[in-house]
Amino acid sequence: MMENTLKEARRCNAIYTITAPRSNAVLLSPAIQWYFVLDFESTCFKDGPHPPEIIEFPVVILNPTDGTVQDQFRSFVRPTENPVLSDFCSSLTGVRQDVAHADDLTAVLKEFELWLRIKKEQLGCRFRPSKSSTAIFVTWTDWDISTCLWDECRRKKIAVPNDILNRMDVKAVFQQWIRSNRAGQKWRGGLVDALQLVGLKFCGRPHCGIDDARNTARLLYHLLSKKAVPSCVVKS
């Protein structure tokens, strides 16, 4: 199933990346009306590498005209490869062991796709790898989709929703914006640091997926208001 998803993604040119503009950044596309901001939380351990499994699956829909969150999806996810959360993971993410009673990733993805289909109909938006696109997914780094979700779905033989492959890495956007406004100065930091740099305070708990998604949306709205979001192109 994963191979079929990848073939379909390539066929419709649905894999996106960010390119740095040569001059001042411009808006992604005049047609983009909705930004679906997601931030997964996953299993994590101190004692060596373990493949991450999603344990919190949140998405918020940003209305770029006024910065409001139009709607949200949130579901906790039961890990099946390492079902017992580490103390480190619970302390970091706030997710507790009762996540063992949640649905697994297969069921949550079905629930998410149903929600997404309803939202697309209600908002009249579509995810397309072209200028006709009116919606796009947004993450703080591309890890959530290209590594966390993709690798877990590959291991578990689950199809990745095609729409979610139409995406933008807002951290890359922010880094480019900093370089263009600070004479080429490089910036490294996390979401909390980025918010502070533009005069915003993180609201909620860092590493809580829904709070991270909402704060990423706040930062994105700030960048949109500064016309700092560069154009997206298909990966070659």
Side-chain angles (χ1 to χ4, degrees):
M1 296 177 71
M2 281 297 299
E3 289 77 9
N4 291 337
T5 299
L6 180 57
K7 287 179 181 178
E8 175 62 18
R10 286 173 175 165
R11 185 192 68 77
C12 65
N13 294 324
I15 301 177
Y16 275 58
T17 189
I18 294 296
T19 56
R22 294 182 179 179
S23 57
N24 291 334
V26 296
L27 284 176
L28 173 70
S29 166
I32 295 292
Q33 299 171 5
W34 304 102
Y35 294 85
F36 287 65
V37 185
L38 67 82
D39 190 287
F40 299 138
E41 297 303 322
S42 69
T43 55
C44 48
F45 302 84
K46 273 190 173 181
D47 59 343
H50 297 274
E53 294 179 89
I54 295 169
I55 54 177
E56 185 184 357
F57 193 127
V59 180
V60 301
I61 305 175
L62 172 69
N63 183 339
T65 60
D66 58 11
T68 59
V69 171
Q70 184 78 14
D71 204 345
Q72 71 176 43
F73 173 89
R74 187 190 192 191
S75 181
F76 291 97
V77 188
R78 172 169 52 88
T80 57
E81 295 170 332
N82 291 285
V84 179
L85 300 186
S86 68
D87 292 339
F88 171 74
C89 181
S90 291
S91 176
L92 180 69
T93 66
V95 179
R96 303 303 178 189
Q97 189 55 51
D98 56 7
V99 74
H101 301 296
D103 289 332
D104 64 10
L105 183 60
T106 299
V108 170
L109 279 174
K110 288 180 180 178
E111 181 186 356
F112 166 71
E113 289 190 275
L114 175 60
W115 174 84
L116 183 60
R117 184 163 62 249
I118 292 171
K119 293 299 118 182
K120 287 164 63 177
E121 292 175 356
Q122 290 177 345
L123 301 174
C125 63
R126 58 188 179 276
F127 297 83
R128 298 280 177 81
S130 67
K131 292 182 180 180
S132 66
S133 178
T134 57
I136 193 168
F137 279 90
V138 179
T139 57
W140 176 260
T141 82
D142 198 41
W143 177 87
D144 297 80
I145 296 173
S146 67
T147 299
C148 187
L149 177 64
W150 188 270
D151 287 354
E152 184 174 355
C153 286
R154 176 179 51 81
R155 294 194 310 271
K156 297 180 178 180
K157 296 180 170 50
I158 305 170
V160 176
N162 282 335
D163 283 339
I164 213 169
L165 297 176
N166 295 277
R167 65 197 191 272
M168 179 177 68
D169 175 1
V170 77
K171 183 175 183 178
V173 173
F174 185 78
Q175 289 173 323
Q176 170 59 29
W177 181 64
I178 290 296
R179 283 196 295 269
S180 64
N181 283 275
R182 298 197 175 190
Q185 177 182 342
K186 293 184 179 180
W187 177 86
R188 292 182 180 179
L191 177 59
V192 174
D193 304 311
L195 288 163
Q196 289 177 344
L197 200 58
V198 299
L200 298 174
K201 184 178 179 180
F202 189 97
C203 296
R205 172 185 175 139
H207 302 296
C208 166
I210 192 66
D211 288 346
D212 283 352
R214 284 180 169 270
N215 282 279
T216 300
R218 292 173 63 221
L219 179 63
L220 174 60
Y221 180 66
H222 177 85
L223 294 173
L224 287 167
S225 70
K226 300 293 184 181
K227 297 186 177 180
V229 178
S231 58
C232 243
V233 297
V234 178
K235 283 183 179 178
S236 58

